[in-house]
Amino acid sequence: MPILFQTAEVSGIPYTADYLFGGLAVIAVIMLVFIGSLYLRFQNVRKDIALAEQLAEE
C-alpha cells in the first residue's frame, strides 16, 4: 500500500493527507470566488463603457 494512503503512523511519519486535501479545497474555493469577482467586474465595465458611449452620442 502506498505511503499516502496509510491511516496509522508508520515509522514516525504522521498521516497529514487530510490537511492537504482540506487546504486544496480552501484554495479552490478562494480561486472560484476570485474568478467570479473578475467576471462580475468585467460585466460591470462593459455596461459602463456602453453607457459612456451612449452618453457621448447624445
Side-chain angles (χ1 to χ4, degrees), residues 1 3-5 8 10 12 15 23 25 28 40-41 43 45 48-52 54 57:
M1 181 179 285
I3 293 174
L4 290 176
F5 299 110
V10 177
Y15 179 76
L40 290 176
R41 287 180 181 197
Q43 293 297 324
V45 166
D48 289 345
I49 290 173
L51 179 63
Q54 180 183 2
E57 290 175 0

Side-chain angles (χ1 to χ4, degrees), residues 4 6 13-22:
L4 290 176
Q6 293 176 349
I13 300 173
Y15 179 76
T16 58
D18 292 336
Y19 296 108
L20 170 69
F21 297 136

